[in-house]
Amino acid sequence: MIGAGVFGAWTAWSLLRKGKRVLLVDARGPANARASSGGESRLTRTSYGADEVYTRLALESLPDWKWLSESADLPVFHRLGVLFIFAGMVPYAAGTLEVHQRLGLPLETLDRAHLTRRFPQFRWDDIDLGLWEPDFGALMSRRGVQTLVTRFVAAGGEYRLTEVAVPRAAAPEADSVDELVATGQRLEAAQYVFACGPWLPTLFPDLLGPRMFVTRQEVFFFAPPPGDARFGPAAMPGWVDFNDGDMFYGTPDIEGRGVKIARDKHGAPMDPDAGDRLASVDALADVRAYMERRFPALARQPLNESRVCQYENTSSGDFLIDRHPRWRNVWLVGGGSGHGFKHGPAVGRYAAQLVTGERAALEPRFSLAAKGERQRRAVH
Ligand SMILES: Cc1cc2nc3c(=O)[nH]c(=O)nc-3n(C[C@H](O)[C@H](O)[C@H](O)COP(=O)(O)OP(=O)(O)OC[C@H]3O[C@@H](n4cnc5c(N)ncnc54)[C@H](O)[C@@H]3O)c2cc1C
């Protein structure tokens, strides 16, 4: 198992639970600061418009996150509730409602008067609809993945810090890979699962170079006004402002880090290994302009910290979970596309079933064949 981000760690865990011998390796450490799974927190939600497949994956994953959270020293899951907000009943909102009704999932519809009463920290004058998911919230990302890797090792899995080189077969016509070359060692296994997030295009340049789009994303944490409880986790939910598909999202001041606000729009192409991670003045100004509109009491509050991360987008935003087209013992797991974290447990289960041969039929949307070379984002 190569890559100890959220996808690799949960896949390793699922394989171990099936009685397999699993070696999990990572070049930089589980949920390290350059990985897509690094950083403080991620939202988990079932609102996905009409994309029921992701509603289901998020739902299937929540019990595993709760289990991990209960077994950890500090919480991995904060049940804040998640609020999606819209200018009106746009197709994404209607699709979300339809899927939740069909699956019997709790989802409350809130009008502007209700929103104004219940969430006074937001400005509501351009919003007519809120969709409220009471059971979801925020996952502590770095803590979650690192806790899971600790559990994996305690349960008999092996973890090693090493960098795997670009995989090669012994001969051009070979249909499998015999061994991997890694820092100071060679690794031999029956199956190799690559869950290398934004490094997948580097490891498989011909195959994934044209099919994965790694983008720079910036996240900001602002100091709430001292003594103001409106921005704490007891009063403020996780939230997503749909904003015509150009979403802003954030969390309350969890664990004293600050109120998190970010724009989900894809940034410039990014090499995950290159350069310092200093947030840009432009992105900060953009978020502050948004805060002026949505959170007037926060707009002039100081910045506590910022983070630069990357999305590893596929053409549509659908995940990639498939066998390598030439090598039958090599598997590709990735393409989280800015929304993968919450689904880690379900993705891990799915990937483990593929690798062990328990599941033959692929969800067509996760296949390599469905991945185009032009970005047409369809999943939000
Ligand atoms: C700013 C931001 C906000 C996000 N918000 C959300 C959210 O609110 N909700 C949500 O569900 N998702 C969210 N996501 C998406 C989610 O975090 C990612 O989809 C997910 O973390 C991807 O995990 P991964 O395991 O595929 O990749 P990674 O976490 O990047 O893990 C890949 C690992 O592979 C290792 N590796 C790479 N190459 C090698 C090699 N050659 N040898 C050994 N190891 C190697 C790396 O060191 C790394 O640890 C967000 C992402 C970002 C960046």
Side-chain angles (χ1 to χ4, degrees):
M1 183 77 238
I2 304 98
V6 74
F7 284 174
W10 279 108
T11 306
W13 176 256
S14 285
L15 286 167
L16 189 72
R17 302 282 297 189
K18 288 180 186 299
K20 302 295 169 194
R21 233 182 103 211
V22 189
L23 168 65
L24 171 64
V25 304
D26 198 292
R28 301 162 192 84
N32 64 83
R34 303 194 87 84
S36 292
S37 305
E40 286 301 297
S41 59
R42 299 289 187 271
L43 286 179
T44 177
R45 53 169 163 107
T46 47
S47 292
Y48 261 100
D51 279 323
E52 182 180 326
V53 61
Y54 293 110
T55 301
R56 284 181 182 277
L57 288 186
L59 190 65
E60 285 169 24
S61 296
L62 189 62
D64 300 276
W65 287 120
K66 286 184 174 166
W67 161 78
L68 190 65
S69 193
E70 279 153 21
S71 71
D73 295 337
L74 291 168
V76 168
F77 172 60
H78 289 274
R79 184 176 178 260
L80 308 166
V82 173
L83 180 65
F84 253 80
I85 59 176
F86 304 90
M89 187 57 82
V90 298
Y92 185 96
T96 298
L97 273 166
E98 198 273 320
V99 168
H100 281 69
Q101 270 157 18
R102 188 147 34 82
L103 299 182
L105 299 178
L107 185 72
E108 217 180 310
T109 304
L110 310 179
D111 62 16
R112 191 190 302 169
H114 189 144
L115 290 166
T116 307
R117 271 198 314 277
R118 186 149 158 199
F119 301 112
Q121 59 284 75
F122 292 71
R123 180 184 275 166
W124 292 115
D125 43 11
D126 59 339
I127 296 294
D128 273 337
L129 174 66
L131 295 180
W132 171 247
E133 295 180 39
D135 296 334
F136 283 75
L139 298 163
M140 304 309 284
S141 38
R142 179 184 55 245
R143 181 184 300 156
V145 173
Q146 292 179 352
T147 302
L148 181 61
V149 173
T150 305
R151 293 279 172 284
F152 165 79
V153 171
E158 187 185 347
Y159 168 75
R160 240 181 259 171
L161 180 81
T162 188
E163 183 177 29
V164 169
V166 171
R168 301 198 193 287
E173 65 281 4
D175 71 350
S176 61
V177 166
D178 296 335
E179 62 171 19
L180 299 177
V181 176
T183 329
Q185 59 198 301
R186 284 170 190 276
L187 305 173
E188 251 183 80
Q191 309 272 352
Y192 302 101
V193 183
F194 286 83
C196 296
W199 288 271
L200 279 173
T202 317
L203 284 158
F204 300 92
D206 298 341
L207 193 63
L208 298 181
R211 290 184 177 82
M212 281 184 88
F213 310 87
V214 180
T215 57
R216 176 184 169 94
Q217 306 298 142
E218 302 184 38
V219 178
F220 299 95
F221 295 81
F222 296 92
D228 188 340
R230 287 176 301 168
F231 297 100
M236 189 179 189
W239 57 273
V240 183
D241 184 340
F242 187 70
N243 196 35
D244 255 343
D246 179 9
M247 306 195 300
F248 284 85
Y249 65 92
T251 65
D253 177 21
I254 300 173
E255 301 181 6
R257 200 86 189 190
V259 182
K260 172 172 149 180
I261 305 188
R263 191 173 193 164
D264 171 66
K265 187 178 179 176
H266 293 170
M270 174 165 173
D271 175 341
D273 281 325
D276 295 331
R277 297 201 171 203
L278 196 60
S280 67
V281 173
D282 287 352
L284 177 59
D286 182 43
V287 164
R288 278 211 187 273
Y290 173 75
M291 287 156 70
E292 199 77 59
R293 247 174 47 222
R294 188 66 67 218
F295 301 106
L298 269 188
R300 289 184 185 79
Q301 285 302 111
L303 181 68
N304 277 353
E305 71 178 88
S306 54
R307 278 193 48 87
V308 177
C309 186
Q310 63 277 308
Y311 287 173
E312 55 296 316
N313 305 291
T314 59
S315 50
S316 58
D318 283 316
F319 302 153
L320 169 62
I321 315 174
D322 201 350
R323 194 195 291 264
H324 189 281
R326 216 166 49 247
W327 300 324
R328 57 184 165 70
N329 63 344
V330 172
W331 301 87
L332 308 167
V333 181
S337 304
H339 69 106
F341 195 91
K342 66 182 82 57
H343 305 294
V347 166
R349 258 193 300 277
Y350 183 94
Q353 286 169 353
L354 282 184
V355 172
T356 53
E358 286 163 61
R359 179 196 285 255
L362 275 166
E363 160 62 48
R365 290 176 67 166
F366 300 161
S367 69
L368 180 64
K371 305 297 174 284
E373 298 190 8
R374 272 192 47 210
Q375 255 194 301
R376 285 194 201 90
R377 187 178 185 179
V379 181
H380 284 98

